[in-house]
Amino acid sequence: MITFYSDGSTRGKNQKGADNVGGLGAVCIDEIDDGYEYELLDFDCDTSYCTTNNREELKGLLYCLAAADTYYPDQRCLVYSDSAYVVNMCNDWIWTWAKNGWKNSKKQTVENLDLVQAIYKHLNQEFYHCIVRKCPGHNDLIGNELADALATGNFKRFMDLLNENGLDISDDDYEWIQRKMEDLVMNG
């Protein structure tokens, strides 16, 4: 089974107190015969406008769904998020919102409508192959920690976590992730 982890983050405040800098992280982990194959799908630091954590969480999910549809359209995929908002939206709210003309329970237009509708297009397919599930955040799950590192830009924390806790990852995977993160920092 193909497994994805998505995450989003915000840090800093603008003059009105709104979240300012956002980021997303998306990771694909493919189980192979002798272990796992990791792919850092994307990361982004969005400084062009004031954003919210929920918006960045949705962007991370959308990236994973798009990758699943592009690269694994005939396979079952599991997408993990540590955001209750994302998971509840995908497994419950989005269907009601679509039926009610994209209005929430307060009869207001759904927030982040552009992203919600884009996610709906992925979820509302004849062959629905992506399952979205909740995972605990900051609980030493490699995929979640890696997506968080991509979303926050805190690569040092991720590498320290691997070193300190001896998380279950092969030396080759560790070296590949370390090189990839160094490349992202140098070229990102």
Side-chain angles (χ1 to χ4, degrees):
M1 177 175 279
I2 308 298
T3 304
F4 292 90
Y5 286 87
S6 70
D7 205 357
S9 74
T10 53
R11 56 202 173 280
K13 301 285 182 184
N14 68 10
Q15 293 175 349
K16 296 180 182 179
D19 295 326
N20 195 20
V21 178
L24 69 91
V27 176
C28 177
I29 301 176
D30 189 359
E31 249 182 271
I32 54 178
D33 291 339
D34 58 347
Y36 299 94
E37 186 173 272
Y38 297 84
E39 183 65 32
L40 310 187
L41 295 174
D42 197 19
F43 79 108
D44 184 37
C45 184
D46 188 350
T47 58
S48 60
Y49 63 94
C50 297
T51 189
T52 65
N53 192 71
N54 282 346
R55 186 164 181 83
E56 296 305 309
E57 293 279 3
L58 291 173
K59 286 167 62 177
L61 172 71
L62 184 57
Y63 200 95
C64 288
L65 294 174
D69 284 351
T70 301
Y71 301 110
Y72 308 102
D74 299 325
Q75 296 184 45
R76 293 274 178 209
C77 298
L78 186 57
V79 182
Y80 282 107
S81 173
D82 61 11
S83 165
Y85 169 73
V86 164
V87 174
N88 289 332
M89 185 208 64
C90 289
N91 294 314
D92 187 15
W93 304 335
I94 200 165
W95 311 107
T96 304
W97 293 343
K99 187 171 60 176
N100 293 336
W102 302 107
K103 302 290 181 189
N104 62 22
S105 61
K106 297 176 184 175
K107 309 290 186 227
Q108 299 168 332
T109 300
V110 171
E111 289 184 23
N112 303 307
L113 184 58
D114 58 331
L115 297 174
V116 170
Q117 287 178 328
I119 289 167
Y120 180 77
K121 287 179 183 175
H122 288 282
L123 298 178
N124 191 33
Q125 296 181 49
E126 189 172 320
F127 175 59
Y128 175 64
H129 66 108
C130 292
I131 299 167
V132 180
R133 292 286 180 255
K134 177 93 168 68
C135 70
H138 307 292
N139 201 30
D140 295 350
L141 293 170
I142 295 288
N144 178 256
E145 296 292 352
L146 189 48
D148 178 78
L150 292 169
T152 62
N154 195 347
F155 305 119
K156 181 179 180 335
R157 181 187 164 281
F158 176 75
M159 298 311 283
D160 289 347
L161 182 73
L162 287 179
N163 289 328
E164 291 167 12
N165 296 331
L167 295 179
D168 187 22
I169 189 168
S170 74
D171 289 342
D172 288 342
D173 286 341
Y174 177 86
E175 290 172 12
W176 182 88
I177 289 171
Q178 190 171 29
R179 280 193 315 274
K180 186 73 168 180
M181 287 189 160
E182 287 170 359
D183 288 348
L184 290 174
V185 170
M186 298 282 288
N187 301 319

